Amino acid sequence: SSRDMAEPWPPYSSSSRGKKKRPRSPNDDATSSQGRTENSTSLEDNLIFSDTLIALQLMRTQFPKLEKVVTQPFILQSQLYSSVKDRTQVDRDLESLKKDRVLRVFKLNTGQDDHAIMFMDDYLKQMESAVRRSKGKNQDCSEVFEWFEKYVLPSKLDVSIDHLELCSLLSHGGDARDKHITLLMNAGLLTRQLIDPNMYWFSIPSIGPILKGLTQVCTSWLFYSFVQILWC
């Protein structure tokens, strides 16, 4: 049915609400180069999983594998709201998980008021690929990527950041200049806001091929129809 095509991730339901004993993490067997994600993984290991996090992990495992699109799994916040009925609890859980560095939330540039949720381990892998491509094109100022990961990401958990704060955080690593910020934008880690050029969205690198088909989409549900079309 059309509903089935538009909903590749089944709604999550639980007979017992509230906190759960931690199941196996989707990244338990994964190792990270240079130990970059050890902190976030250890934090995740110590969490008591809620319905929200269990649903996120289930959706992550069912993210379509697209041959022509190289991206780590992410989940639409609107889909999470549809899967876990207590929206207020979802918002609380997301705030807690962001503070614990388990995941990040990103504003999607689709013309719709929706957000993408990505586990921190997956985001760092996505970022690492983007940095590798960027360094291959231009070695100059590449130190900014280390500054961004070390000083900006842990300090700024919101979906956006203003120019002055960005420069201030980057300056903990060195003399941050406009050319450094341009490099971050070219790598897909930041997107300048159209309404206010002094504000930037944090963004997920290399999801353009997926988001490109969403410019005329009226509802976020159609996102999954689009992904399934690519998948098939």
Side-chain angles (χ1 to χ4, degrees):
S1 66
S2 58
R3 175 181 173 83
D4 292 335
M5 290 184 62
E7 189 178 348
W9 290 335
Y12 172 80
S13 62
S14 174
S15 58
S16 60
R17 312 301 295 173
K19 303 299 181 181
K20 304 277 189 289
K21 182 178 179 181
R22 183 190 180 277
R24 188 170 180 79
S25 167
N27 293 302
D28 278 350
D29 296 326
T31 57
S32 174
S33 62
Q34 302 176 355
R36 294 172 59 185
T37 61
E38 288 179 0
N39 187 44
S40 61
T41 301
S42 62
L43 284 168
E44 188 175 347
D45 286 342
N46 292 325
L47 289 174
I48 298 176
F49 275 30
S50 64
D51 286 351
T52 301
L53 191 49
I54 293 173
L56 284 169
Q57 289 191 319
L58 175 62
M59 294 176 183
R60 181 192 179 280
T61 63
Q62 296 177 350
F63 187 82
K65 304 296 183 182
L66 309 178
E67 293 183 1
K68 297 181 180 180
V69 180
V70 181
T71 183
Q72 296 295 320
F74 62 90
I75 301 97
L76 282 185
Q77 189 165 326
S78 59
Q79 183 72 5
L80 180 62
Y81 285 148
S82 299
S83 301
V84 182
K85 294 181 180 180
D86 190 342
R87 181 167 178 164
T88 300
Q89 187 60 47
V90 168
D91 290 339
R92 290 173 183 163
D93 289 342
L94 288 178
E95 285 301 313
S96 177
L97 291 168
K98 285 194 300 181
K99 291 178 181 178
D100 287 338
R101 311 294 193 270
V102 175
L103 52 77
R104 284 193 75 95
V105 178
F106 302 86
K107 177 73 171 66
L108 290 176
N109 186 25
T110 61
Q112 305 299 316
D113 186 21
D114 207 351
H115 296 75
I117 302 167
M118 182 175 271
F119 282 98
M120 196 65 187
D121 286 351
D122 291 331
Y123 174 68
L124 291 178
K125 290 175 186 176
Q126 192 79 4
M127 176 180 168
E128 186 176 11
S129 297
V131 170
R132 197 162 46 240
R133 288 191 299 271
S134 183
K135 285 184 177 179
K137 298 177 182 178
N138 184 7
Q139 294 286 340
D140 189 33
C141 301
S142 60
E143 65 274 6
V144 71
F145 297 117
E146 182 180 349
W147 303 347
F148 183 78
E149 180 179 343
K150 187 174 181 180
Y151 301 110
V152 178
L153 293 181
S155 303
K156 192 66 176 179
L157 305 179
D158 296 337
V159 296
S160 63
I161 187 170
D162 67 66
H163 183 81
L164 291 178
E165 185 176 11
L166 176 61
C167 291
S168 176
L169 291 173
L170 289 174
S171 67
H172 290 295
D175 184 15
R177 303 191 178 188
D178 286 344
K179 61 182 180 180
H180 291 106
I181 296 177
T182 298
L183 194 58
L184 291 172
M185 293 175 62
N186 290 341
L189 296 169
L190 292 173
T191 302
R192 192 187 299 273
Q193 295 187 18
L194 297 177
I195 298 178
D196 185 353
N198 289 317
M199 292 292 296
Y200 304 89
W201 297 115
F202 289 101
S203 55
I204 304 172
S206 304
I207 63 170
I210 292 179
L211 298 184
K212 185 177 180 181
L214 301 181
T215 54
Q216 302 300 322
V217 171
C218 297
T219 67
S220 60
W221 283 100
L222 293 181
F223 167 80
Y224 293 101
S225 296
F226 175 75
V227 170
Q228 280 194 318
I229 291 171
L230 289 178
W231 194 12
C232 297

